[in-house]
Amino acid sequence: MDAIFLQILNGLDKGGAYALIALGLTLIFGTLGVVNFAHGAVFMLGAFCAVTLNKILTLSQRIRDESVTFFEAYKEVPYLEVWFGETGSTLIEYSVPISILVAIPVMLLVGLAMERGLFRFFYNRTHAEQILVSFGLAIVIQEIVKAFYGANPIPQAPPEIFAGSANIGAMLGMSEAIVYPWWRLVYLVFAGIVIAAVFCFLQFTTFGMVVRAGMMDRETVGLLGINIERRFTIVFGLAAVVSGLAGVMYTPILPPDYHMGMDFLVLSFVVVVVGGMGSLGGAVAAGFLLGVLQSFAAMAEIKAIIPGIDQIIIYLVAVVILLVRPRGLMGRKGVMET
Amino acid sequence: MIAPTTPRKDMVMFIVFAIAILTLPIWMAPLGGSYPDLLQKFAIFGLFAVGFNILFGLTGYLSFGHAAFLGVGSYTAVWSFKLLSMNILPAIFFGMITSGLFALIIGYVSLRRSGIYFSILTLAFAQMSYNLAYSVLTPITYGETGLQLAQYDPRILDAQATVEGGGIPLTNLFGLEMQGWPGFYFCAVVLIIGFYIAMRITRSPFGMMLLAVKSNQNRMNYTGLNTRPYTLAAFVISGIYAGLAGSLMAVTDPLAGAERMQWTASGEVVLMTILGGVGTLLGPVLGAAIIKYFENIFSAINESVLHAFFGFLPDFIENGLVNVASLFVGKGWHLTLGVLFMVMVIFLPGGVIEAYDRIRKRFFSKETRSSAAPQAGDD
């Protein structure tokens, strides 16, 4: 029982990342009908927002180390600490959460630039061509990041108070053995908040209502005199923000490197397909579901029965779902059923 | 897409193609590409792309997992070297058979869906094979180290034929060692045969049926025709081509690794086909040659070469240019590839062949000549 609970928890944080990326993908697909293979790169860019901010915050000055008296020793001290003392070091410690504030405008701009600069020319082309051009874009983004940051993963530390593990078992009155890193818990809550925010935005604002109407019947909304294209462009930006934030917060869990986007993209596409093309709820549900399934498959007991299942479970589920339920878990009727 | 052709024009094109391939070492010499390693790659990837084009070009099904068949072909060929004989014929034979069987299974499942779902399904299968090759199947694939030949391999058929001093014998065709130039000529001959078969398939009623599936599958279904056997056949054929290419890789360099099955490798063959021209006969070969050629050239360039190249400029401009350009060469070659990919899809979805056709139409609009000459690969 405890083991099962722990595995569910373990799966949820990865599932949170899948769900956020898949949510972005589905937003783009549902509104603009574009299959965006560059979305993983957006996730990766978000992660590198955090890396960049951390680098900026820790820009250092060489000053003399007073504690060493035998010889002239120097140490690197970040400017922030020199200028603001304690406040400065706290700022540095919280660089990952602070990156969220930076990442939102940056990712919005990235999203808008991608849509205006590239994807709007591809609405009338085939899906194959959309896949290909976004695949090319993903390679380009990836290689540029690699040129600036190198190929090695760059670890990011979470703030001190989230560094350890939470004894969830004791809190919930279950076994003491259930411990879970604080930051993953934070990530889970964060993913929940972002998902809830996106859904609230679509559900309770006029803008969201128009977008939802546009997803159902773009032409009619256009005929009502609403500039649906512009709203969809903003939705594209929003989708980029969602994935970017997923990337920012994921950095303490997985040190970002240039190809993390590709790794997540393939899985997220599978998630989208399992959830049902164009279904936002489906994408989120499938994201968490597949995350949990993956962590269950990684259990030693399961691996003993079916060796290697942890490596292929997601794809296997996708294949089965695609064959027996072509619409995906929650796909609407008529959306890309062929 | 298809220009009206006659069997005679096809024959001319085929002969020109064959001569061009066989004389590659001569006319690649001024371009700095005349050495067997590179030319072998031309032939092997050309074959891979020709096979891929039978699926993507004729039926329009975009497979994102074709590298899996390449990998399977490689593994089978190396196992054949290990267990049976260093003769390459059984290796190639078994490589084609297993990859064909593999393609049959994957195709049977994947072809139930079309469009993007088909792409995702093939991608899922390829990723599964890749992940399995790295984890559970390590007894067969040797995981990250890759599958290599060893001295103590059984080699039932020619166990006694070991090199003096106990080295591992080279792959051979009845004694003719498949390294260097003989290796290239063997690959070239296989490519020419493969090209001829692809040409016959394209021009056959079967090929016409595949094209009909591409243009409107619904209509084909409404006329009472079950299209699946046709698409499945195309899938298997292109899988066999990929397996053949994979086993040729093992023939020229007898080792196999799982990275050949990764989905970026599948993306590469898609790019080759697109770059050359989807649905054309010569396009895929051209695309493969162009990519491999530039990969070779670009990844060899380093900063000192760039400095020499831009040396005539004032220093600050030179340094700036070198800094920008060095992003695109050497290890950054993939960036160039990505940009090329995007530019091709955006501006020239028809690839090099389309570009050639446009130019030809502009300058020689009076008469229609036979299809593109292979020398277009020079640019």
Side-chain angles (χ1 to χ4, degrees):
Chain A
M1 185 61 212
D2 291 346
I4 292 175
F5 185 67
L6 190 62
Q7 289 306 327
I8 292 178
L9 273 181
N10 271 337
L12 282 181
D13 67 304
K14 208 162 201 188
Y18 293 155
L20 286 178
I21 304 174
L23 186 63
L25 272 174
T26 312
L27 271 176
I28 294 173
F29 183 80
T31 51
L32 298 164
V34 174
V35 182
N36 183 8
F37 258 56
H39 207 67
V42 174
F43 173 74
M44 184 261 300
L45 278 182
F48 275 88
C49 273
V51 174
T52 315
L53 188 79
N54 186 272
K55 279 211 169 146
I56 293 172
L57 288 181
T58 52
L59 276 181
S60 303
Q61 184 184 26
R62 257 158 63 95
I63 56 171
R64 190 141 177 242
D65 192 347
E66 304 290 345
S67 59
V68 181
T69 46
F70 299 110
F71 55 93
E72 295 231 326
Y74 292 92
K75 60 178 178 183
E76 299 257 317
V77 177
Y79 283 111
L80 280 175
E81 272 179 38
V82 178
W83 296 339
F84 304 113
E86 276 295 301
T87 332
S89 43
T90 322
L91 269 180
I92 293 173
E93 194 189 312
Y94 280 85
S95 76
V96 173
I98 294 171
S99 314
I100 294 177
L101 299 178
V102 182
I104 290 176
V106 171
M107 297 322 293
L108 193 63
L109 278 180
V110 167
L112 296 184
M114 267 165 79
E115 203 275 339
R116 285 289 92 184
L118 183 67
F119 284 103
R120 71 179 165 129
F121 303 109
F122 275 79
Y123 295 148
N124 298 325
R125 301 248 201 129
T126 60
H127 281 302
E129 281 178 326
Q130 292 169 355
I131 291 177
L132 293 170
V133 81
S134 51
F135 181 61
L137 181 66
I139 297 177
V140 169
I141 294 177
Q142 196 172 303
E143 289 301 315
I144 291 175
V145 167
K146 186 174 152 197
F148 281 101
Y149 293 92
N152 293 326
I154 307 165
Q156 298 292 307
E160 196 71 35
I161 50 166
F162 298 123
S165 289
N167 199 333
I168 289 186
M171 285 178 210
L172 298 177
M174 292 161 89
S175 152
E176 291 278 319
I178 302 177
V179 288
Y180 194 61
W182 271 112
W183 185 259
R184 291 180 180 234
L185 215 55
V186 170
Y187 192 84
L188 199 54
V189 173
F190 174 77
I193 292 173
V194 172
I195 291 167
V198 170
F199 275 88
C200 286
F201 179 69
L202 289 177
Q203 204 67 37
F204 300 127
T205 62
T206 318
F207 185 94
M209 193 179 69
V210 173
V211 169
R212 276 185 296 131
M215 281 167 88
M216 280 186 180
D217 190 343
R218 180 181 182 147
E219 217 166 23
T220 313
V221 177
L223 288 174
L224 290 173
I226 293 169
N227 189 347
I228 194 72
E229 286 233 342
R230 179 172 304 161
R231 315 233 168 182
F232 280 175
T233 307
I234 295 172
V235 170
F236 196 108
L238 187 73
V241 170
V242 170
S243 311
L245 290 184
V248 169
M249 293 294 272
Y250 211 68
T251 47
I253 300 176
L254 180 80
D257 53 18
Y258 71 100
H259 58 74
M260 73 189 287
M262 286 287 187
D263 303 344
F264 271 85
L265 175 85
V266 178
L267 290 173
S268 306
F269 248 106
V270 171
V271 167
V272 171
V273 169
V274 169
M277 279 310 237
S279 155
L280 297 172
V284 172
F288 282 113
L289 186 73
L290 289 183
V292 171
L293 269 181
Q294 198 180 24
S295 92
F296 270 115
M299 284 170 80
E301 290 89 337
I302 309 255
K303 272 203 272 188
I305 305 169
I306 318 166
I309 186 74
D310 56 321
Q311 301 288 330
I312 60 168
I313 177 81
I314 288 193
Y315 303 110
L316 211 57
V317 170
V319 168
V320 172
I321 292 262
L322 272 183
L323 294 179
V324 300
R325 198 181 152 78
R327 235 179 274 161
L329 291 178
M330 299 185 187
R332 271 180 299 144
K333 199 171 179 197
V335 181
M336 289 209 54
E337 276 187 73
T338 46
Chain B
M1 189 56 88
I2 347 170
T5 51
T6 58
R8 208 170 130 255
K9 275 182 184 170
D10 275 350
M11 215 55 218
V12 170
M13 177 177 78
F14 172 69
I15 290 169
V16 171
F17 174 80
I19 293 171
I21 291 291
L22 288 175
T23 54
L24 262 179
I26 300 168
W27 58 268
M28 279 304 284
L31 296 168
S34 181
Y35 47 93
D37 270 6
L38 179 66
L39 296 182
Q40 279 167 9
K41 273 190 194 158
F42 278 19
I44 291 171
F45 280 94
L47 196 63
F48 188 20
V50 164
F52 183 76
N53 188 47
I54 290 178
L55 181 70
F56 183 43
L58 294 186
T59 67
Y61 278 82
L62 173 59
S63 158
F64 243 78
H66 244 58
F69 307 127
L70 188 83
V72 168
S74 280
Y75 279 125
T76 318
V78 176
W79 270 112
S80 155
F81 290 140
K82 284 169 89 74
L83 296 179
L84 287 176
S85 148
M86 290 306 281
N87 195 324
I88 57 176
L89 288 185
I92 289 175
F93 176 73
F94 285 116
M96 285 166 71
I97 295 283
T98 41
S99 57
L101 285 176
F102 223 72
L104 186 68
I105 298 166
I106 292 183
Y108 181 77
V109 178
S110 306
L111 283 166
R112 288 164 171 268
R113 314 301 313 280
S114 62
I116 177 167
Y117 292 108
F118 174 79
S119 302
I120 300 258
L121 274 173
T122 45
L123 178 61
F125 276 114
Q127 283 297 96
M128 271 199 254
S129 330
Y130 170 71
N131 286 344
L132 286 180
Y134 259 130
S135 58
V136 195
L137 297 182
T138 31
I140 303 174
T141 62
Y142 288 83
E144 282 180 37
T145 36
L147 186 62
Q148 290 166 354
L149 298 182
Q151 234 173 295
Y152 49 79
D153 288 332
R155 280 198 284 280
I156 309 169
L157 296 182
D158 58 355
Q160 67 280 26
T162 37
V163 176
E164 281 172 47
I168 303 165
L170 295 169
T171 53
N172 61 65
L173 177 68
F174 302 115
L176 180 66
E177 285 174 353
M178 281 296 131
Q179 310 285 321
W181 287 116
F184 162 69
Y185 280 109
F186 181 75
C187 293
V189 169
V190 175
L191 171 64
I192 290 167
I193 297 170
F195 182 81
Y196 183 74
I197 294 172
M199 192 173 86
R200 297 309 305 230
I201 288 176
T202 312
R203 302 288 184 241
S204 68
F206 171 71
M208 287 321 237
M209 196 65 93
L210 295 181
L211 275 172
V213 169
K214 182 183 187 178
S215 59
N216 196 335
Q217 183 158 11
N218 277 338
R219 188 174 288 177
M220 294 303 289
N221 287 331
Y222 292 155
T223 53
L225 181 104
N226 185 5
T227 52
R228 196 163 303 148
Y230 291 93
T231 46
L232 184 60
F235 193 87
V236 172
I237 291 171
S238 76
I240 291 176
Y241 266 86
L244 177 60
S247 48
L248 282 182
M249 270 182 185
V251 163
T252 52
D253 184 14
L255 46 85
E259 73 281 349
R260 276 184 198 161
M261 302 166 96
Q262 214 180 357
W263 72 289
T264 41
S266 307
E268 201 182 1
V269 72
V270 180
L271 173 58
M272 286 169 181
T273 314
I274 301 254
L275 180 68
V278 182
T280 58
L281 280 167
L282 286 170
V285 184
L286 266 182
I290 292 173
I291 285 180
K292 285 294 151 192
Y293 178 70
F294 280 111
E295 180 181 3
N296 197 52
I297 300 286
F298 272 56
S299 38
I301 297 175
N302 54 25
E303 274 197 23
S304 57
V305 177
L306 284 176
H307 274 292
F309 185 73
F310 292 118
F312 62 94
L313 292 165
D315 261 358
F316 64 100
I317 300 179
E318 181 193 333
N319 287 334
L321 274 178
V322 167
N323 281 339
V324 174
S326 62
L327 284 178
F328 290 89
V329 297
K331 282 180 189 161
W333 142 253
H334 278 105
L335 182 57
T336 322
L337 194 70
V339 173
L340 190 70
F341 206 127
M342 285 173 68
V343 170
M344 282 316 286
V345 180
I346 295 171
F347 298 109
L348 258 185
V352 174
I353 295 286
E354 187 189 316
Y356 174 80
D357 278 347
R358 280 191 198 171
I359 293 169
R360 199 190 57 184
K361 273 201 188 115
R362 181 158 299 171
F363 293 104
F364 309 96
S365 51
K366 278 171 284 177
E367 49 171 343
T368 43
R369 297 192 179 178
S370 67
S371 198
Q375 274 76 9
D378 294 6
D379 53 27

